[in-house]
Amino acid sequence: GLNETKKYLSELGIKYVDGSNLEIIEKDGVKFGFLAFDYTISKSNLDRDLELIKTSDPQINILIVMPHWGEEYKETANKFQVETAYKMIENGADII
């Protein structure tokens, strides 16, 4: 389903992020960068993700990182989420 979704989005000219690509949208001279990572099903590689955040940061003004993570029906972040969020910020994420 994921590959099919990417195919259709690409055919329609709709940008997406999938854990390996930085997408940039410029609005009024401000470059917004978007990254997304999955720590639930596909278990994204944290070291690789942090490196992508670090190398993406200089290319844009505001870096938005969207991790898919957490535990079902929990109202608070777990230890992994908190520690990882701080690492993402240290590597250049502006919004998580």
Side-chain angles (χ1 to χ4, degrees):
L2 179 60
N3 290 333
E4 193 171 296
T5 299
K6 289 188 226 179
K7 175 182 172 279
Y8 290 127
L9 290 172
S10 294
E11 288 173 358
L12 294 169
I14 299 171
K15 295 182 177 190
Y16 63 86
V17 290
D18 69 353
S20 62
N21 66 309
L22 168 68
E23 282 297 341
I24 299 172
I25 297 175
E26 189 169 344
K27 180 71 175 168
D28 298 328
V30 179
K31 290 183 180 179
F32 295 88
F34 297 87
L35 294 170
F37 306 112
D38 180 9
Y39 299 105
T40 58
I41 297 169
S42 66
K43 301 292 182 194
S44 192
N45 180 305
L46 181 58
D47 290 332
R48 184 199 68 214
D49 298 344
L50 293 174
E51 185 62 28
L52 182 57
I53 291 168
K54 184 184 283 187
T55 59
S56 298
D57 185 45
Q59 301 176 53
I60 46 85
N61 302 108
I62 298 173
L63 182 57
I64 300 165
V65 177
M66 300 171 287
H68 183 198
W69 57 9
E71 301 170 64
E72 294 288 327
Y73 309 109
K74 299 286 182 177
E75 294 183 16
T76 58
N78 63 35
K79 182 179 178 182
F80 172 79
Q81 290 171 279
V82 173
E83 290 175 356
T84 301
Y86 279 110
K87 289 177 185 176
M88 289 176 169
I89 292 166
E90 290 166 2
N91 282 277
D94 295 300
I95 299 171
I96 300 174

